[in-house]
Each structure stands twice: as C-alpha cells, then as structure tokens.
Amino acid sequence: MYRLTNSFPYLLNRVGVQMGELFSRRIAGYGVTLPMYRVMAALWEAGDQRLGDLAAMTTIEISTLSRLVGEMKRRGLVTRARLKDNGRTVAINLTPKGRSLVEELIPIAIRFEEVAVRDFPPKNISDLKTILAEIYESLKSLEPEIEEANKARKAAKSKA
Amino acid sequence: MYRLTNSFPYLLNRVGVQMGELFSRRIAGYGVTLPMYRVMAALWEAGDQRLGDLAAMTTIEISTLSRLVGEMKRRGLVTRARLKDNGRTVAINLTPKGRSLVEELIPIAIRFEEVAVRDFPPKNISDLKTILAEIYESLKSLEPEIEEANKARKAAKSKA
DNA sequence: GAACAATAATTGCATTTGCAAATATAGGTC
DNA sequence: GACCTATATTTGCAAATGCAATTATTGTTC
C-alpha cells in the first residue's frame, strides 16, 4: 500500500524545506536570503558564471535568478557584466564584499550539515550523497515520457 | 575545502526541486498542481485532518495551505468544515472526486520513484529513507542555537 | 552582407507565497 | 458569567515566482 509519507520525494522535500527554513532564519541577521546565499556559495566555488549556468547550478529558475542577481548587484555582493567577446552572455562574480560575507556564512552551513548528519556513520552519508547525485542525473530519463503523456492527452482532447 | 555542490542540503534540494518540476509537468494535464497533489495524497493516507496537521504533514506553510484548500474545495476535490465539538478547528477530507483523481495520480508518483531509485539496491534506498526521516527529526535540535544567534546579534545591535 | 534562425538574458504580468494582523472559538480564573 | 489567555484558521498586503513575450547578440545561409 502506497504511503505518501514513505515516498522518497516526500521525505526528501520535507528535509529540504525544513533545512532551508532553519538556515534562512539563521542567516537573516546578515541581511541575506537563502537564495542569495546559494548564489554566493555557488560563485565562491566556481566564479565567473554565466546566468544560465548559475541557474542550472543552483536550480533557480532563470528569470527569478536574473532579478535576484540584479538585486545582489545593487547591494554590492556580485558583479554582472556582458562579455566583450560574446555580448549575449554575462559574467557574474562575487565582489570582495560578497566574498567576505559568504565566507562568514559557509561555516554556519557546515555547522548545520554536521548537526544533520552527526548520528550516522560518514560512510552512509557519503553513500547518500552519491545516490542523490546519481538520482539527479537519472531523472533526465523521465523527460521523454512526460512529453509523451502530455502529447497523448492533447491528441485525445483535440479528438473530443 | 567546502563545496556547495557537495553539501547535503544542496544535493537534496536539487533532487527535490527537479523531481517536483518533472512531476508537476507530468500531472498538469489532470488540472492539478504539485501542492494540490501533496494535499490529496496526504489526505488519501490519513483523512479527516485539521489544517495545522495537514500543514505539518505536507510542509506547506499554513496560510498558503488555507488558501490552497479553499481553492481545492471550490474545485470539488476536498471538503472543509468546522467541527461541531471544537469550532476552532476544521476537518478536511477528500471528496469522491478528489479520491478518484488522487488514485489516478499515485501510480504516476510510484512510477517516478521507481525510475529515481532503480539503479540502487533496495537496501540502500530503505536506509536512505530512514536516514532522511531521522535527519528531519534531528533538525529540531538546531532551533535553540538559531534563537540564540539572533538574540546575540540583536543585543549587539541595540548596544551600537 | 541581408535575412533568417539560434542562443542568452531580461521584463511584463498574473499567480503564488509568507509574514503579520485579524478573526473565531475554546478554556481557564476570579 | 465577564475577562483574559491560548489555540486554530483566515485574510491583508507586500514580495517573490514563473511563464511567455521581448530584447540583444551571435551564427548561418544564400
């Protein structure tokens, strides 16, 4: 018998939402939101990102991210500039201010993660991380059947 | 060296967002959103929920959920009624229409989960689920230090 | 090199979200 | 049983979100 509360997406989402919520509250005093932190931490790891890449990296929808980066630029946390050699794209980077801020926040993120995983052997956690990364990749294989299902429905509708 | 992309919340969030996005698209043809599915699946598992309990179960913020349930009632998917014996609370349930709809959608959710986990031995997946459930519980222990950190900041500020 | 297609980012607009305040009801307390 | 407090839900309002359309630039074809 299926139970939502034992399903993988449910368990996943619940932890994700909750950790996000707690972390948001923890960093609110620094004047940044969770999505802002994610952007800064992504840039800290790999700077000079284009908007689209940053969107893929952070799983933030691109138009949302465009505006978010705009706000962060206004606040002096990041730079954004069209490239000389390819004016379609834009390069986003941390400012020194953004860098020093994210370097204050990262230890808090590390602390949160430690608390989350402390009851489990490191091996389990690293396995878990590997599984999560691989599942992410394997989700791509669902794309075709989504299209197909929707196409089928559409066809049925236009016939009706 | 810390890397966002190897952090637990990052890997978690990414899979959660992506699965949600794909599932949303898959069920869009049925005229329901992902949050609506979650509410229906929660009620299918355990009906006659109060709003607050349903919020806790689904990790949907309570005011958002209040409106969502209102919309779902308008669409004939759920019932909502103040209790006779305790008029503060409301009882939310699936209608027959909501029930038959969610029973169409659950197999799709099962299918998605199967695809997600098919590359791993069941033992690993059940371990993973256990870990996720336990992590969720252990997050509660972060609450006090969030309060404390914010209190400390506040005190420092008022002194300045 | 003009016209068209493809890629990248931004913006308009309607919807969704979440905090805080308001409302509704129940449970003490004197 | 009036008054205060606690609990549960809803609503006002401002901010965030995401789709679709638009803008900007590059690449391709003739």
Side-chain angles (χ1 to χ4, degrees):
Chain A
M1 177 63 76
Y2 179 76
R3 279 189 305 133
L4 175 72
T5 54
N6 191 43
S7 73
F8 182 63
Y10 173 85
L11 292 164
L12 205 67
N13 177 260
R14 198 174 62 141
V15 173
V17 168
Q18 188 66 11
M19 282 196 89
E21 218 266 330
L22 294 170
F23 191 69
S24 284
R25 279 166 49 199
R26 180 65 182 81
I27 67 175
Y30 295 85
V32 284
T33 63
L34 176 57
M36 286 178 185
Y37 167 75
R38 286 192 179 134
V39 167
M40 290 191 292
L43 290 172
W44 189 79
E45 176 171 339
D48 213 39
Q49 294 280 313
R50 301 186 313 170
L51 191 71
D53 297 335
L54 200 53
M57 193 170 173
T58 57
T59 334
I60 298 173
E61 198 275 338
I62 197 164
S63 68
T64 301
L65 184 62
S66 177
R67 276 179 267 248
L68 181 61
V69 168
E71 174 61 24
M72 291 174 75
K73 184 180 177 184
R74 233 164 293 134
R75 296 194 193 183
L77 299 172
V78 300
T79 59
R80 172 176 57 182
R82 296 262 170 191
L83 295 189
K84 291 264 162 50
D85 58 329
N86 182 350
R88 282 185 294 202
T89 64
V90 74
I92 301 162
N93 275 293
L94 284 173
T95 61
K97 180 180 171 189
R99 173 172 298 275
S100 83
L101 177 53
V102 74
E103 286 173 356
E104 276 191 271
L105 299 178
I106 284 172
I108 300 176
I110 292 173
R111 161 79 185 142
F112 269 53
E113 179 158 350
E114 273 170 8
V115 171
V117 307
R118 69 181 159 199
D119 293 336
F120 307 96
K123 177 69 167 71
N124 281 24
I125 298 301
S126 68
D127 282 356
L128 171 52
K129 285 184 176 185
T130 304
I131 292 177
L132 287 173
E134 290 180 20
I135 286 179
Y136 180 76
E137 293 306 320
S138 70
L139 288 178
K140 295 195 206 326
S141 74
L142 281 168
E143 289 275 356
E145 74 184 72
I146 292 169
E147 297 310 317
E148 210 176 310
N150 288 341
K151 206 171 292 173
R153 187 183 50 81
K154 218 168 185 176
K157 206 173 192 176
S158 74
K159 203 170 114 186
Chain B
M1 177 63 77
Y2 178 76
R3 280 187 307 132
L4 176 71
T5 55
N6 191 43
S7 73
F8 182 63
Y10 172 85
L11 293 165
L12 204 68
N13 177 259
R14 198 172 62 139
V15 173
V17 169
Q18 188 65 10
M19 284 196 89
E21 218 267 330
L22 294 171
F23 191 70
S24 285
R25 279 167 47 202
R26 181 65 183 82
I27 66 174
Y30 296 84
V32 285
T33 64
L34 176 57
M36 286 177 184
Y37 167 74
R38 287 192 178 132
V39 168
M40 289 191 292
L43 290 173
W44 188 79
E45 177 171 339
D48 212 40
Q49 294 280 313
R50 300 185 314 171
L51 190 72
D53 296 334
L54 200 54
M57 195 168 172
T58 58
T59 335
I60 298 174
E61 199 273 338
I62 195 164
S63 69
T64 301
L65 184 62
S66 176
R67 274 179 269 248
L68 180 62
V69 168
E71 174 61 24
M72 292 174 75
K73 184 180 175 182
R74 233 164 293 133
R75 297 195 192 181
L77 300 171
V78 301
T79 59
R80 171 175 57 183
R82 297 263 171 191
L83 295 190
K84 292 266 162 50
D85 58 327
N86 181 351
R88 282 185 294 201
T89 63
V90 314
I92 300 163
N93 275 292
L94 285 173
T95 61
K97 180 180 170 188
R99 173 172 298 274
S100 83
L101 178 54
V102 75
E103 286 173 355
E104 275 191 273
L105 299 177
I106 285 172
I108 301 176
I110 291 173
R111 161 78 184 144
F112 268 53
E113 179 158 349
E114 272 170 9
V115 170
V117 308
R118 69 180 160 201
D119 293 336
F120 307 96
K123 176 70 167 70
N124 281 25
I125 298 300
S126 68
D127 282 356
L128 171 51
K129 285 185 175 182
T130 305
I131 293 177
L132 287 172
E134 288 181 19
I135 286 178
Y136 181 77
E137 292 306 319
S138 71
L139 289 177
K140 295 193 204 329
S141 73
L142 281 166
E143 289 274 356
E145 74 186 70
I146 292 169
E147 296 310 317
E148 211 175 310
N150 288 340
K151 205 172 291 175
R153 187 183 50 80
K154 216 168 185 177
K157 204 171 194 178
S158 74
K159 204 170 115 188

